[in-house]
Amino acid sequence: SESEVNPKAYPLADATFSKTILDLVQQAANYKQVRKGANEATKTLNRGISEFIVMAADAEPLEIILHLPLLCEDKNVPYVFVRSKQALGRACGVSRPVIATSVTIKEGSQLKPQIQSVQMAIERLLV
């Protein structure tokens, strides 16, 4: 399945960066800083409380989440795709696949440094 990632799923994190992202999502979930699902992610963007958005490149059809990159660009929020919705769901702490998730802003969060480093890494992918 390595080859058959939809080209619209851009930027796609490589395996190492995906692991970093999913680890951070998992930590953020423990701190209640994660909103799961395309609709929830959309709401966090509209409310201006999203640090970054992670989407699954294997969402079917991908079009159901492709409004998110546009919204992210409007709001200047970094976004990235990982290969697997199953892995994204696990990172969010649920047994179901998750096609999109938003890591949210939280005052005084201990994750701020990791979040900022992932944001910068995502922005480098978008260049």
Side-chain angles (χ1 to χ4, degrees):
S1 70
E2 278 292 312
S3 55
E4 37 188 300
V5 169
N6 192 317
K8 291 181 189 146
Y10 174 85
L12 183 65
D14 63 21
T16 320
F17 188 37
S18 291
K19 186 177 178 341
T20 309
I21 292 166
L22 293 172
D23 285 347
L24 181 56
V25 167
Q26 193 167 14
Q27 286 174 300
N30 296 337
Y31 284 102
K32 306 279 184 278
Q33 270 181 272
V34 164
R35 293 283 195 291
K36 297 177 286 292
N39 295 346
E40 290 293 321
T42 305
K43 284 187 233 171
T44 65
L45 285 166
N46 287 330
R47 293 180 187 144
I49 58 167
S50 182
E51 295 273 20
F52 63 89
I53 298 284
V54 185
M55 290 162 287
D58 61 346
E60 274 300 315
L62 192 64
E63 283 58 40
I64 53 184
I65 50 175
L66 286 182
H67 65 284
L68 286 167
L70 301 171
L71 197 52
C72 287
E73 281 168 17
D74 280 347
K75 308 277 186 194
N76 271 321
V77 172
Y79 60 92
V80 67
F81 284 88
V82 292
R83 283 182 183 276
S84 156
K85 57 189 176 194
Q86 210 66 53
L88 190 53
R90 278 198 300 274
C92 292
V94 293
S95 53
R96 308 271 309 134
V98 168
I99 58 168
T101 186
S102 171
V103 173
T104 55
I105 292 167
K106 186 172 180 186
E107 267 316 303
S109 166
Q110 294 174 311
L111 296 177
K112 196 70 184 149
Q114 290 104 297
I115 288 172
Q116 281 169 331
S117 89
V118 165
Q119 283 172 327
M120 280 162 17
I122 293 172
E123 278 158 14
R124 284 197 291 275
L125 285 180
L126 281 167
V127 176

